[in-house]
Amino acid sequence: MTDRLFVAAFPPDAIVDDLEALISPRRGLTYPWRWSPPQNWHLTLAFLGDTPEDRQPRLLDALADVAATATPFTLELAGGHAIPSPNNARVLTLTATQGSAQATHLAARLRSACSQAGVPPDGKRFFAHLTLARSRNPASAHQLLPFLDTIPPLTWDVRDITLVASTLTRGASTYQDVRTFPLTG
């Protein structure tokens, strides 16, 4: 058996609630954009994909080792961003305006540890962001980017990381926490 895994930092409930209050009036009104459910909002640090169960004990040990030496940091997300571009976007995000260097460093350490544990990450370049919406086909993001830019900065202290199992469904993916590791360095 395999699990589809990723390592993430989740914003606290108060941040999620505030952001959802701003986004909820737009849900269903912005075709072709499908807004992610609030419980799925996170900062992906390492996407591991399908991971055999027999590799997971080494992976858990590797993540614990990194967390034990990683220092908590403040992350601020603000400003809309369209991936890959505003004209042909598939993903809408908020980007890190503070804490990006710390998140990048933590992501690099986690990705290296995962590889050494026999679970290499996807290899995509790390970009500190929180995904808000997706489109199945490339679409213009020009109407939504000004709205995203009005969202007040979201700031929280990243004090832990979580290994998450993701199950793809017709709608949004469902997530199950495998284990959370406090950053205690």
Side-chain angles (χ1 to χ4, degrees):
M1 293 244 340
T2 63
D3 291 315
R4 186 173 186 261
L5 300 177
F6 64 91
V7 182
F10 285 88
D13 291 343
I15 296 282
V16 171
D17 293 346
D18 290 347
L19 184 55
E20 175 59 9
L22 295 168
I23 289 178
S24 64
R26 286 157 179 80
R27 289 187 184 277
L29 302 176
T30 54
Y31 181 82
W33 298 101
R34 294 172 293 127
W35 295 93
S36 301
Q39 68 271 15
N40 286 10
W41 291 333
H42 65 276
L43 172 72
T44 301
L45 296 162
F47 182 77
L48 307 172
D50 292 331
T51 304
E53 283 183 9
D54 64 342
R55 292 189 189 166
Q56 292 181 28
R58 284 184 59 202
L59 174 63
L60 292 169
D61 289 344
L63 295 177
D65 289 346
V66 171
T69 60
T71 305
F73 62 95
T74 300
L75 184 70
E76 178 182 272
L77 299 169
H81 186 77
I83 301 172
S85 73
N87 290 330
N88 294 301
R90 295 186 78 115
V91 179
L92 298 177
T93 73
L94 293 177
T95 58
T97 54
Q98 178 184 343
S100 179
Q102 294 93 330
T104 300
H105 180 70
L106 178 58
R109 291 187 61 214
L110 288 165
R111 291 164 181 230
S112 176
C114 292
S115 290
Q116 291 173 8
V119 185
D122 65 1
K124 291 183 181 175
R125 189 179 131 263
F126 177 75
F127 167 60
H129 68 279
L130 186 142
T131 297
L132 295 174
R134 295 182 182 278
S135 174
R136 290 189 195 277
N137 298 308
S140 172
H142 289 286
Q143 289 183 320
L144 286 173
L145 287 174
F147 159 68
L148 296 180
D149 287 339
T150 67
I151 294 174
L154 308 173
T155 306
W156 81 90
D157 291 331
V158 176
R159 298 190 176 281
D160 54 48
I161 57 171
T162 303
L163 179 64
V164 181
S166 172
T167 303
L168 297 175
T169 63
R170 268 197 102 204
S173 297
T174 59
Y175 297 158
Q176 180 179 357
D177 293 356
V178 174
R179 187 170 301 158
T180 297
F181 304 90
L183 304 181
T184 58

